[in-house]
Amino acid sequence: MNSPISTPFCLAIATAILTFSGIPAAAQSQAQIQPQPQPERNRDHFVLGIGAGYAPAYQGADDYRVMPLPVIDIAWGPFFANLRNGIGVNAVDTDHVTIGASVTMMPGYRSKDAPKGIGELSFGAGARGFMSLKAAGFVATIGATKGFAGGTKGVIADASLSRPVFVSSRFMLVPTIAASWADRKHNDRYFGVNAAQSRASGLRQYRPGSGLNDASAMLTAQYRLTDRISLAATGGVTTLLGKVKDSPIVVHKTQPLGFLSVSYRLGQ
């Protein structure tokens, strides 16, 4: 890469994740374009676009939001920027294994979206490490993010399994299953209700502790109108697991998600 990824790309990625804090971390990748395989070894690509997402205001919320969502998928040498992993570097990137590290956003929610008396949970940033394995047409990814600013400053680990299916040279389907786990700090601050919040909201005090957070099933359909322009639609469902599903701030433990987007591939 000849120059670092510029600040506007960082802000766009942040906007996407901050807007849709109700999207599980492992499902966020389905909101971005899935690049078509390249005939040559060069993996560089520069994909930008715009879309809209339908998601809960936070995980377990009663209210949903429909908001614009940027499409960003940039790779230039070892550097990358996308919605799943944020901005970072791939230390290993072969036909079968990708290992990288990045800085990405950590989820939170606005006070007006949370139950009255709970208040806001500030959005933050985290350091992420991940590994993707590609074999027999499947793509398996595991990753973990540790918050270092704002938000819960906890740890979220995620795993996903996808199987891209090329229906034709222009049409592709990508079914994905995913799950995430979080430590006590994250779950207690995101889903918990402390003594002050309990008095203000009337909800019982609650501390879920560490454990599995959610499981998701998603299906993305992508159609290439031209060699540069693609349309994509994603639909799916996520369900909360373990003790977080019993949090007093959780209204619906199982929730739908949806995305629509159009993107443009720049360069070669």
Side-chain angles (χ1 to χ4, degrees), residues 15-120:
T15 299
I17 298 177
L18 297 186
T19 298
F20 291 96
S21 57
I23 300 176
Q28 287 171 1
S29 61
Q30 295 300 84
Q32 72 182 57
I33 198 75
Q34 300 284 344
Q36 298 287 344
Q38 300 299 301
E40 67 278 2
R41 182 64 183 87
N42 182 13
R43 301 176 187 274
D44 293 351
H45 56 265
F46 198 113
V47 178
L48 296 176
I50 187 66
Y54 175 80
Y58 64 88
Q59 284 192 273
D62 189 33
D63 294 329
Y64 286 76
R65 302 180 66 195
V66 177
M67 294 290 288
L69 181 71
V71 174
I72 301 173
D73 185 12
I74 300 168
W76 198 343
F79 297 92
F80 64 81
N82 58 54
L83 297 185
R84 174 69 181 274
N85 295 312
I87 299 173
V89 177
N90 289 323
V92 176
D93 189 14
T94 71
D95 289 337
H96 300 290
V97 180
T98 300
I99 300 173
S102 61
V103 174
T104 189
M105 302 304 295
M106 294 287 283
Y109 43 77
R110 306 179 305 176
S111 60
K112 67 188 230 178
D113 293 326
K116 184 177 180 180
I118 294 298
E120 73 170 356

Side-chain angles (χ1 to χ4, degrees), residues 6 18 20 31 36 39 42 91 94-95 121 157 184 200 217 224 226 240 249 251 258 264:
S6 64
L18 297 186
F20 291 96
Q36 298 287 344
N42 182 13
T94 71
D95 289 337
L121 178 67
R184 178 183 298 274
R224 289 193 300 121
T226 70
L240 294 173
I249 74 168
V251 180
Y264 185 84

